[in-house]
Amino acid sequence: MRFLYTIGLHLYALLLRLVAPFVPKAAQWTAGRRGLLPQIEGALAADTATRVWFHCASLGEFEQGRPLMEAYAAQYPDHKIVLTFFSPSGYEIRKNWAGADYVFYLPLDTAANARTFLAAVQPRLAVFVKYEFWYYFLTELQRRQVPTVCVSAIFRPEQVFFQPWGGFFRRILSRFTHIFTQNQTSLDLLRQAGISQASVAGDTRFDTVVRTAEASARSLPLVDAFTDDWAPVLIVGSSWPEDLPVLTPLLQQYQQELRFIVAPHEISETNLRLVEATLPGQVVRYSQAQAATVAQARVLLMDNVGLLSQLYRFGHFAYIGGAFGKGLHNTLEAAAFGLPLFFGPTYHKFQEAQDLVELGCAFPISSAEELLTAFGPLFHREEARLQVQDVSLDYVHDHSGATRKIMHWIGEIVKW
């Protein structure tokens, strides 16, 4: 199985090189690993500080690991953080993040790469966020006796680790010093598979969204001007083209009563023009809006990145995109402000989304008609919306604290 694993990774890398001329993300993945190990060795050669290694698959995992990295830096200010990404969508956006001392792509998981990388980084602690179970890196960390943890992990019965033929992949999990799961179901699966070095800590993303909701609000004069008439606001977060046909009838029916702020998942001219052509009413792009006239539009189209988590404070309702395609995007950022949530049918891999649905704070829909049916009672009955707000806020605050639990373990186990 190890042979097949290794061959599979090399074939994956070869495929990305072949499609790189045609697929921008594949080109970034390939270019980012060209000369990578000498670059890492050169960057770290003269630095003698204690180093810790955090690894995130992509941007979502980075946001999950961010509160832990920030807490670690605050508690151990003399240590250096080395942050790696597997995906270009994480690395390219966060390569200049000030919270890490070094940011690199992760080399391909081979025995030689793992030895060279870890010899250069010399981490005293390794933290993997949620996913990314790399056999050779974890094996070499274990051989070097480096405490290695996985945080905010979540597991499902259908995953390869829990299949009768999944022994090789269960051995990968056994390389971790400790696994912190999001929920009891994940912990039970691990124990049934013979993985005992695990416990429930929760999801560190709750700590991020609570802090964002409680922090001093970033000044957004254009959004203030857009919402100045106190009309209810629907925030559309991380929308995809597949979400637009579902949203359009809602906007048509409520365009005189609601304001809409739409933040596409991918900011490209093609996507922006599609939103402008599809949604009814006057649409104005954020980059082109003027404070004196922005309120004349009914739809404010966000054509930048990095503001979505701040936008939810202006909202009364939120539609979260992605669940008519590959999967639902971040619901917690909106839930932290108590907004009733609406999203498509592909949400069952996300524990918080399931929880919010069960609590009556989120409403999965499969069509435009279902969205109108779910939205109407909450829009027309303010007491119903406020009840959802209270339950949602309680849920988010009750589930915060994972960062503190993990930092306590690090302080107890890792001997500096």
Side-chain angles (χ1 to χ4, degrees):
M1 181 61 75
R2 185 174 65 179
F3 173 76
L4 294 176
Y5 172 87
T6 304
I7 291 296
L9 280 179
H10 282 289
L11 289 174
Y12 176 78
L14 176 61
L15 176 63
L16 289 180
R17 288 196 294 271
L18 291 174
V19 302
F22 316 102
V23 181
K25 282 190 177 180
Q28 289 176 324
W29 191 96
T30 302
R33 286 166 172 78
R34 198 171 295 124
L36 177 58
L37 286 169
Q39 173 193 345
I40 294 172
E41 290 173 321
L44 300 177
D47 191 341
T48 60
T50 296
R51 291 192 287 264
V52 295
W53 172 30
F54 284 83
H55 176 67
C56 305
S58 190
L59 189 59
E61 289 74 26
F62 166 82
E63 295 300 338
Q64 209 147 23
R66 181 173 183 162
L68 185 59
M69 287 183 272
E70 291 174 340
Y72 185 93
Q75 186 164 329
Y76 302 101
D78 295 333
H79 295 185
K80 298 290 184 70
I81 291 178
V82 177
L83 171 62
T84 59
F85 289 97
F86 182 80
S87 166
S89 58
Y91 175 82
E92 294 299 332
I93 293 175
R94 293 301 183 188
K95 61 185 176 184
N96 296 315
W97 183 55
D101 298 281
Y102 303 96
V103 184
F104 304 113
Y105 274 107
L106 181 73
L108 191 69
D109 185 35
T110 69
N113 284 352
R115 287 192 298 268
T116 303
F117 175 83
L118 291 171
V121 176
Q122 293 290 320
R124 297 287 297 277
L125 169 72
V127 181
F128 287 65
V129 181
K130 192 176 182 179
Y131 297 129
E132 299 285 273
F133 307 115
W134 298 115
Y135 172 80
Y136 291 108
F137 281 108
L138 290 169
T139 299
E140 185 65 15
L141 284 164
Q142 187 180 57
R143 188 187 71 79
R144 290 170 174 264
Q145 298 183 330
V146 177
T148 304
V149 297
C150 182
V151 302
S152 294
I154 190 163
F155 296 97
R156 300 179 301 278
E158 65 270 18
Q159 287 177 304
V160 63
F161 312 106
F162 312 113
Q163 306 309 314
W165 43 269
F168 171 78
F169 299 96
R170 288 191 289 274
R171 287 195 295 276
I172 294 178
L173 295 182
S174 72
R175 302 291 196 264
F176 284 103
T177 310
H178 201 84
I179 299 174
F180 291 99
T181 67
Q182 292 187 28
N183 56 31
Q184 185 65 39
T185 300
S186 296
L187 180 61
D188 292 342
L189 285 169
L190 290 174
R191 288 179 173 169
Q192 291 167 15
I195 308 298
S196 59
Q197 71 286 10
S199 61
V200 177
D203 187 345
T204 50
R205 287 182 304 159
F206 284 91
D207 301 323
T208 297
V209 298
V210 167
R211 185 176 57 190
T212 299
E214 293 177 347
S216 298
R218 178 176 174 180
S219 178
L220 297 172
L222 282 174
V223 185
D224 280 323
F226 179 70
T227 59
D228 194 43
D229 63 355
W230 298 97
V233 179
L234 171 66
I235 309 291
V236 179
S238 299
S239 66
W240 286 77
E242 294 85 351
D243 296 301
L244 297 180
V246 179
L247 286 165
T248 299
L250 180 73
L251 270 66
Q252 288 174 332
Q253 181 165 326
Y254 289 95
Q255 64 176 302
Q256 299 305 318
E257 302 168 89
L258 272 173
R259 290 191 177 275
F260 306 89
I261 300 177
V262 180
H265 177 66
E266 292 188 354
I267 306 298
S268 67
E269 188 61 26
T270 299
N271 279 346
L272 295 172
R273 289 183 178 179
L274 178 62
V275 172
E276 291 170 330
T278 304
L279 297 185
Q282 184 179 351
V283 180
V284 61
R285 296 191 188 188
Y286 183 80
S287 65
Q288 300 171 359
Q290 301 293 324
T293 58
V294 66
Q296 296 174 9
R298 300 307 296 179
V299 179
L300 180 60
L301 176 58
M302 306 303 295
D303 54 355
N304 63 354
V305 296
L307 290 183
L308 181 56
S309 63
Q310 297 288 327
L311 293 175
Y312 288 118
R313 76 174 190 266
F314 296 93
H316 297 76
F317 310 91
Y319 177 94
I320 310 299
F324 279 94
K326 293 183 178 180
L328 181 65
H329 288 290
N330 192 331
T331 57
L332 286 180
E333 290 178 338
F337 288 93
L339 306 190
L341 308 181
F342 306 89
F343 44 72
T346 309
Y347 71 93
H348 293 90
K349 290 184 179 181
F350 302 91
Q351 182 65 48
E352 67 279 4
Q354 294 185 60
D355 292 343
L356 289 165
V357 170
E358 291 174 6
L359 289 168
C361 300
F363 305 87
I365 51 93
S366 298
S367 66
E369 292 75 17
E370 289 185 10
L371 177 58
L372 285 168
T373 300
F375 182 81
L378 290 166
F379 178 78
H380 294 292
R381 293 179 58 239
E382 179 71 357
E383 66 274 19
R385 185 185 70 83
L386 293 176
Q387 183 178 2
V388 168
Q389 176 179 287
D390 290 342
V391 175
S392 181
L393 291 175
D394 286 345
Y395 169 76
V396 171
H397 284 270
D398 289 346
H399 283 76
S400 63
T403 299
R404 174 179 46 79
K405 294 176 185 176
I406 296 166
M407 286 301 301
H408 177 76
W409 182 91
I410 290 174
E412 291 289 318
I413 300 299
V414 181
K415 305 304 179 183
W416 307 113

